[in-house]
Amino acid sequence: NNNTLKHLQPFPPLKNDNLLRAARGEVVDRVPVWVMRQAGRYLPEFQELRKQHDFFTVCRTPELACEVTMQPLRRFDLDASIIFSDILVIPQALGLTVEMHAGVGPVLPQPICTPEDLKRLTPDGALSRLTYVGDAITMMRHKLDGRVPLIGFTGAPWTLMGYMIEGGGSKTMSKAKAWLTNYPEDTKLFLNLLTDVIVDYLEMQVTAGAQMLQVFESSAEHLSKEEFLLWSAPYLRRIRDDLVDRLTKKVIPAVPLIIFAKGAGHSLKEQSELGYDVIGLDWTVDPVEARAVVGPNITLQGNLDPQSMYCEPNELRSLATEMVHKFGKSRYIANLGHGITPQTPITSMEVLVEAVHNAL
Ligand code: CP3
């Protein structure tokens, strides 16, 4: 089968493994840095390619996905690459239409409105509709030629459920939140269905060559602490536990896992007990306080405010340096506290990367 064939072709050896070392708590030569959405609209070459190709065509065409993944690495001395895709490829594989509308974001014209609508989802064979992501990952490992590790990713169950019910982004996620009170049992079915697909999907990404995985629970910000512990954390835990079981049974080496639950700084202790190697922090969390809460055995990632990228270079340099000083050199991966925004000046990326590397 396809996955066996992939392993007959060994990947080039890794030249810069600082990201993986940081995730495992080993000594690093320099603090590793990458940026969420590092391939994106702030790059003119990305905009140029997007004029020719629809967003999901880029995701579905390994050559195009690899080209876009490579774009930030040509410009900046980054310590990681992240495969170009989107969290909404899972809803697509489950049978929902997802469109990317310029200036609006994702639109799902036939959202899941009631528990009855869950019957429209097609979990059987969902993984077979996601093989293009594995193909892009395998191709990218060869194109990277070992320069930096390749990160794979997925949306987390609550975040995906939110988009699938709201039919796109939402300021409040109020329809999805109504499910939590109106249909708690169906919510559990929905979240478990998504968790099963996510575990298959992450296993496939590791088999294809992903060297680290990030789980994006971006919509955790809409949940209270109590809701986060009920509707997010248990599924995040199962993703990790089931994935580790799967990989162990198939004798596939495990890769470090990152959990990024945006807005869940209220539950860092609980996050540290989910079995993930790395916790991603948004910019509302203080680095020193976060370290005190999670203890010494977890790697922290983050957390510069994406808005800081609009500061003058000197100001940005001192903000980035101060951040690295607060986190320290051990068990730390520098990043923004959320995705880089489209208007960010390119020079800010240069300043950020250089400041992180020179801070300690
Ligand atoms: O980080 C990377 O460089 C890898 C690529 C990546 C994209 N989306 C490409 C993208 C990753 C990791 C994502 C994850 C993602 N997608 C998340 C979680 C991270 C987060 O930001 O919270 C979410 C919630 C989505 C869903 C999504 N996709 C939204 C809400 C939007 C619209 C908002 C926006 O920034 O435009 C997208 C579109 C999207 N995904 C773009 C890119 C580069 C821009 C759209 C375009 O090119 O037209």
Side-chain angles (χ1 to χ4, degrees), residues 171-224:
K171 282 210 157 63
T172 54
M173 290 280 160
S174 55
K175 293 185 190 128
K177 288 200 70 177
W179 269 58
L180 307 181
T181 37
N182 297 343
Y183 318 121
E185 289 311 312
D186 296 294
T187 297
K188 285 179 206 161
L189 285 176
F190 197 171
L191 294 170
N192 277 316
L193 179 153
L194 289 165
T195 301
D196 291 340
V197 177
I198 288 165
V199 171
D200 288 346
Y201 183 47
L202 292 179
E203 182 198 350
M204 184 270 277
Q205 292 189 44
V206 174
T207 310
Q211 290 158 293
M212 187 139 152
L213 296 168
Q214 176 154 320
V215 179
F216 283 95
E217 188 71 291
S218 304
S219 301
E221 61 190 355
H222 299 288
L223 301 176
S224 67

Side-chain angles (χ1 to χ4, degrees), residues 41-321:
R41 286 165 298 175
Y42 73 106
L43 290 174
E45 58 270 33
F46 176 83
Q47 303 261 27
E48 205 47 49
L49 187 137
R50 280 279 285 112
K51 280 186 202 157
Q52 327 279 322
H53 307 280
D54 162 77
F55 180 82
F56 286 109
T57 303
V58 181
C59 296
R60 291 174 167 275
T61 313
E63 286 78 7
L64 295 175
C66 287
E67 164 58 24
V68 171
T69 305
M70 198 60 95
Q71 285 175 348
L73 298 174
R74 293 199 190 103
R75 284 184 183 263
F76 316 114
D77 189 13
L78 294 159
D79 297 283
S81 57
I82 176 163
I83 194 66
F84 189 80
S85 184
D86 199 84
I87 63 165
L88 299 175
V89 298
I90 287 186
Q92 282 180 335
L94 287 170
L96 295 189
T97 300
V98 185
E99 296 157 3
M100 201 56 80
H101 292 190
V104 179
V107 174
L108 292 78
Q110 281 113 30
I112 299 295
C113 298
T114 63
E116 187 67 14
D117 289 335
L118 291 174
K119 292 187 187 129
R120 282 168 34 213
L121 299 178
T122 54
D124 292 339
L127 187 64
S128 71
R129 290 183 285 277
L130 290 164
T131 47
Y132 63 89
V133 178
D135 294 341
I137 286 172
T138 303
M139 183 181 287
M140 195 60 203
R141 279 294 301 276
H142 290 289
K143 287 196 195 282
L144 277 168
D145 195 26
R147 188 174 141 188
V148 290
L150 179 61
I151 303 172
F153 69 91
T154 182
W158 157 248
T159 296
L160 292 179
M161 173 180 152
Y163 280 93
M164 292 165 82
I165 292 174
E166 300 287 338
S170 157
K171 282 210 157 63
T172 54
M173 290 280 160
S174 55
K175 293 185 190 128
K177 288 200 70 177
W179 269 58
L180 307 181
T181 37
N182 297 343
Y183 318 121
E185 289 311 312
D186 296 294
T187 297
K188 285 179 206 161
L189 285 176
F190 197 171
L191 294 170
N192 277 316
L193 179 153
L194 289 165
T195 301
D196 291 340
V197 177
I198 288 165
V199 171
D200 288 346
Y201 183 47
L202 292 179
E203 182 198 350
M204 184 270 277
Q205 292 189 44
V206 174
T207 310
Q211 290 158 293
M212 187 139 152
L213 296 168
Q214 176 154 320
V215 179
F216 283 95
E217 188 71 291
S218 304
S219 301
E221 61 190 355
H222 299 288
L223 301 176
S224 67
K225 175 168 182 148
E226 196 181 24
E227 288 168 332
F228 175 74
L229 297 179
L230 261 174
W231 302 110
S232 173
Y235 304 90
L236 298 174
R237 179 194 302 277
R238 184 155 83 78
I239 289 169
R240 183 267 177 194
D241 289 352
D242 286 5
L243 181 65
V244 169
D245 269 6
R246 270 308 170 81
L247 296 174
T248 308
K249 284 204 184 90
K250 298 192 179 175
V251 205
I252 300 167
V255 304
L257 294 178
I258 311 167
I259 176 60
F260 175 61
K262 183 169 185 285
H266 46 63
S267 297
L268 292 176
K269 184 79 198 155
E270 290 83 355
Q271 287 187 59
S272 76
E273 290 158 0
L274 297 174
Y276 288 71
D277 306 274
V278 184
I279 297 179
L281 303 174
D282 65 51
W283 65 93
T284 66
V285 177
D286 178 76
V288 176
E289 289 175 22
R291 175 56 72 200
V293 172
V294 305
N297 299 325
I298 293 255
T299 296
L300 294 173
Q301 172 175 282
N303 73 342
L304 196 71
D305 185 346
Q307 202 61 31
S308 303
M309 299 293 268
Y310 295 95
C311 293
E312 291 304 314
N314 282 334
E315 174 69 6
L316 171 59
R317 194 175 295 114
S318 68
L319 289 169
T321 306

